[in-house]
């Protein structure tokens, strides 16, 4: 439903900047330079003689100014952006006021971004208004910008905008349902003190960002009984999800997949079509998800399987085998370094 108080807008008209002194700008003028894009003069600003030269220096020789007439048939970019943004914003998503024909969609809570891809595609095919979001199922914290609504024309007919109201709730943030994490670090060389544990700081950084607490931590050797025992201890200590690191390949000493299966966990996937950290296992021990990741997450600590799967698991959005299989498209991550052998 459209607010009747907003049904009338002052109609803007086009004038030369030399003739615009004393008139009120009808839109945000934009400055684009090496230092970025910003609003040069905001909508509602009364143009001065000094502004004329400033506008010309930025390549602006004509401007839209507020006219004296009001009309109910047209809506302008700032109205359109906020109207459509309020329509597409779903659960736990807030709208920030529009500038320059743009409205920001902001996460109200920590959780996982969930976007309706079919609705987004249909809205963007309208040609006049675009919804641009972050990747589906990415982990976010409250205050993160998760999407932007951009308006292409300066104005649209009100009826055209109202027709876009059917695209409701396209972008949502599902809050984290779990906050207590258990961490099991495997590796006989770490257990014996031959090497330092480099993985825990990688996991701790994710936990800190999303305000999860690590309620259990243990370093164990490459032994399936010790690994399984540590996972079960973590569950008894109240861990709602478990991360197990290392021992994920096919070397004789890699025992983590064997340990997880031996506990009776239901394996959703062993091996995921992403690089780095392809040798990842996702399993469920009852209702406790287990994410076992290869040692590659140490070298690729900036982005790996932890970032793709752990937020989803903490939000109880367990991926299916079909969803994981589809990740092969785009699964070669930008931080992955291809190596060639002579």
């Amino acid at each position: 439903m459209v607010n009747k108080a907003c049904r009338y807008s002052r109609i803007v008209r086009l004038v030369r900047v030399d003739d615009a002194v004393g008139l009120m700008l009808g839109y945000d003028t934009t400055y684009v330079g090496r230092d970025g894009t910003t609003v040069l003069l905001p909508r509602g600003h009364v143009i001065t003689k000094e502004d004329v030269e400033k506008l010309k220096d930025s390549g602006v020789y004509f401007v839209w100014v507020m006219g004296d007439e009001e009309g109910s048939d047209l809506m302008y970019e700032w109205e359109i952006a906020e109207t459509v943004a309020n329509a597409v914003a779903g659960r736990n998503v807030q709208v920030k006021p529009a500038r320059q024909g743009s409205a920001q969609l902001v996460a109200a809570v920590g959780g996982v971004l969930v976007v309706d891809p079919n609705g987004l595609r249909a809205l963007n095919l309208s040609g006049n208004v675009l919804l641009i979001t972050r990747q589906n199922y990415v982990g976010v914290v409250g205050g993160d910008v998760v999407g932007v609504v951009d308006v292409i024309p300066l104005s649209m007919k009100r009826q055209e905008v109202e027709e876009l109201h059917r695209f409701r709730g396209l972008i949502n943030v599902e809050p984290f349902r779990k906050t207590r994490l258990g961490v099991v670090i495997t590796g006989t060389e770490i257990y014996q003190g031959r090497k330092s544990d480099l993985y825990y700081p990688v996991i701790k950084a994710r936990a800190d960002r999303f305000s999860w607490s690590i309620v259990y931590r243990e370093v164990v050797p490459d032994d399936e009984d010790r690994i399984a025992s540590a996972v079960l201890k973590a569950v008894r200590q109240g861990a709602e999800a478990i991360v197990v690191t290392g021992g994920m390949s096919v070397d004789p000493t890699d025992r983590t997949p064997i340990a997880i299966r031996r506990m009776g966990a239901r394996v959703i996937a062993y091996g995921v079509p992403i690089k780095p950290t392809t040798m990842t296992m996702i399993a469920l021990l009852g209702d406790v998800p287990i994410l076992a990741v290869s040692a590659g997450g140490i070298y690729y600590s900036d982005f790996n399987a932890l970032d793709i799967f752990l937020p989803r698991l903490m939000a109880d959005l367990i991926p299916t085998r079909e969803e994981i299989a589809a990740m092969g498209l785009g699964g070669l991550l930008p931080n992955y370094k291809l190596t060639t052998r002579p």
Side-chain angles (χ1 to χ4, degrees):
M1 181 178 294
V2 178
N3 186 341
K4 292 182 178 180
C6 299
R7 289 198 63 93
Y8 291 90
S9 303
R10 288 179 65 180
I11 298 175
V12 299
R13 58 190 179 90
L14 187 66
V15 299
R16 294 169 54 87
V17 291
D18 300 282
D19 302 326
V21 175
L23 301 179
M24 184 182 294
L25 266 177
Y27 71 120
D28 293 331
T29 58
T30 304
Y31 166 79
V32 181
R34 291 184 176 180
D35 51 347
T37 301
T38 187
V39 174
L40 180 62
L41 296 173
R43 178 170 60 92
H45 175 80
V46 177
I47 298 173
T48 66
K49 290 182 179 179
E50 292 76 16
D51 293 333
V52 171
E53 296 306 313
K54 185 186 298 185
L55 288 163
K56 288 182 177 180
D57 287 343
S58 297
V60 178
Y61 290 84
F62 292 86
V63 290
W64 295 101
V65 298
M66 293 289 192
D68 297 325
E69 299 179 6
E70 288 188 343
S72 62
D73 188 46
L74 288 181
M75 292 180 70
Y76 292 99
E77 58 177 4
W78 55 91
E79 303 169 293
I80 300 166
E82 289 191 34
T83 297
V84 176
N86 277 299
V88 302
R91 297 180 301 278
N92 301 310
V93 175
Q94 299 173 335
V95 176
K96 290 186 70 173
R99 298 301 299 266
Q100 299 173 276
S102 245
Q104 292 184 348
L105 299 160
V106 179
V109 299
V112 171
L113 178 66
V114 180
V115 181
D116 175 357
N118 295 323
L120 179 146
R121 186 183 304 112
L123 171 59
N124 288 350
L125 283 171
S126 72
N128 289 324
V129 180
L130 300 176
L131 173 59
I132 307 159
T133 74
R134 294 183 64 186
Q135 288 289 328
N136 221 354
Y137 297 113
V138 69
V140 298
V141 298
D144 279 355
V145 176
V146 295
V148 173
V149 172
D150 254 10
V151 180
I152 304 305
L154 177 66
S155 64
M156 292 172 60
K157 291 183 178 180
R158 190 173 296 274
Q159 181 180 349
E160 294 175 329
V161 178
E162 291 175 353
E163 289 173 355
L164 299 180
H165 289 185
R166 70 183 186 275
F167 297 107
R168 290 196 173 276
L170 299 185
I171 181 167
N172 301 273
V173 174
E174 293 299 326
F176 294 124
R177 309 293 180 184
K178 304 174 186 293
T179 59
R180 296 162 63 85
L181 192 62
V183 178
V184 177
I185 307 293
T186 75
T188 303
E189 72 281 14
I190 302 170
Y191 180 77
Q192 294 180 348
R194 296 174 182 274
K195 284 188 177 180
S196 299
D197 170 23
L198 301 179
Y199 227 137
Y200 182 75
V202 177
I203 301 167
K204 183 69 162 55
R206 273 69 175 175
D208 290 345
R209 168 166 165 72
F210 295 120
S211 299
W212 305 329
S213 58
I214 296 177
V215 298
Y216 186 85
R217 173 190 178 189
E218 185 175 354
V219 177
V220 296
D222 292 305
D223 176 277
E224 54 264 38
D225 293 330
R226 296 288 297 274
I227 295 169
S229 176
V231 170
L232 294 173
K233 285 179 188 176
V235 174
R236 289 195 294 269
Q237 290 290 327
E240 299 168 300
I242 313 291
V243 174
V244 185
T245 69
M248 290 301 298
S249 189
V250 294
D251 292 339
T253 54
D254 289 342
R255 313 304 290 175
T256 299
I258 297 171
I260 292 172
R261 287 193 170 101
R262 182 171 292 184
M263 285 186 291
R266 178 170 68 88
V267 175
I268 297 171
Y270 175 36
V272 296
I274 64 170
K275 278 199 172 297
T277 53
T278 301
M279 300 302 284
T280 290
M281 177 179 277
I282 301 166
L284 287 174
L285 184 64
D287 61 353
V288 177
I290 300 173
L291 178 62
V293 290
S294 68
I298 298 173
Y299 182 66
Y300 294 101
S301 61
D302 55 332
F303 197 82
N304 56 63
L306 288 170
D307 303 283
I308 294 173
F309 294 108
L310 191 54
R312 286 190 62 159
L313 300 179
M314 299 301 277
D316 262 345
L317 297 174
I318 309 299
T320 65
R321 288 178 58 84
E322 290 74 17
E323 287 177 310
I324 294 170
M327 291 178 180
L329 179 60
L332 196 61
L333 304 180
N335 65 334
Y336 180 65
K337 297 178 177 64
L338 290 170
T339 57
T340 58
R341 295 180 179 179

